[in-house]
């Protein structure tokens, strides 16, 4: 099993920045993919960004150029640097990991962007 613990959410004004972190523990040898999804009220959970152990990344079109995903394989930690935040980025952000994204999930961290 794998446990994922997120941190770094909060309240920020539009145009501001936040950095999310997600630390994995347990059977971390299975973690090829690590990344972030988000879910806004009344909407489906959607991909934000994913990164493989080799460094390949995939971003949602809505965050390209504003968000950057990175990972420290030695620490089994994935980061999401979020810049130029918009009110529409408001959501609960979930860390995910596994052989593919979606095998394991964190508990979520709230990000609120005020206008």
């Amino acid at each position: 099993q794998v446990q994922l613990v997120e941190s770094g959410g909060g309240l920020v004004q539009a145009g501001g920045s936040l950095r999310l972190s997600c630390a994995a523990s347990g059977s971390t040898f299975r973690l090829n993919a690590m990344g972030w999804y988000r879910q806004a009220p009344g909407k489906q959970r959607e991909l934000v960004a994913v990164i493989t152990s080799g460094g390949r990344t995939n971003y949602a079109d809505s965050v390209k150029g504003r968000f950057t995903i990175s990972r420290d394989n030695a620490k089994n930690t994935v980061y999401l640097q979020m810049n130029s935040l918009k009110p529409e980025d408001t959501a609960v952000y979930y860390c995910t990991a596994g052989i593919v994204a979606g095998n394991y999930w964190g508990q979520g961290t709230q990000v609120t962007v005020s206008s």
Side-chain angles (χ1 to χ4, degrees), residues 25-104:
S25 61
S27 301
T28 56
F29 64 90
R30 303 180 180 191
L31 303 183
N32 173 55
M34 299 186 76
W36 298 90
Y37 278 63
R38 67 186 181 186
Q39 188 167 18
K43 295 188 177 181
Q44 289 188 329
R45 192 172 296 190
E46 62 178 5
L47 169 74
V48 177
V50 175
I51 185 169
T52 68
S53 57
R56 184 175 299 179
T57 59
N58 184 34
Y59 291 92
D61 288 342
S62 60
V63 307
K64 285 180 180 177
R66 299 188 298 123
F67 291 10
T68 302
I69 190 169
S70 61
R71 67 188 283 176
D72 184 331
N73 290 327
K75 295 182 178 179
N76 297 309
T77 300
V78 62
Y79 306 96
L80 185 69
Q81 178 66 43
M82 305 185 292
N83 298 328
S84 302
L85 282 160
K86 304 176 182 179
E88 50 264 44
D89 294 318
T90 295
V92 177
Y93 283 68
Y94 294 92
C95 177
T96 184
I99 296 175
V100 296
N103 289 156
Y104 302 98

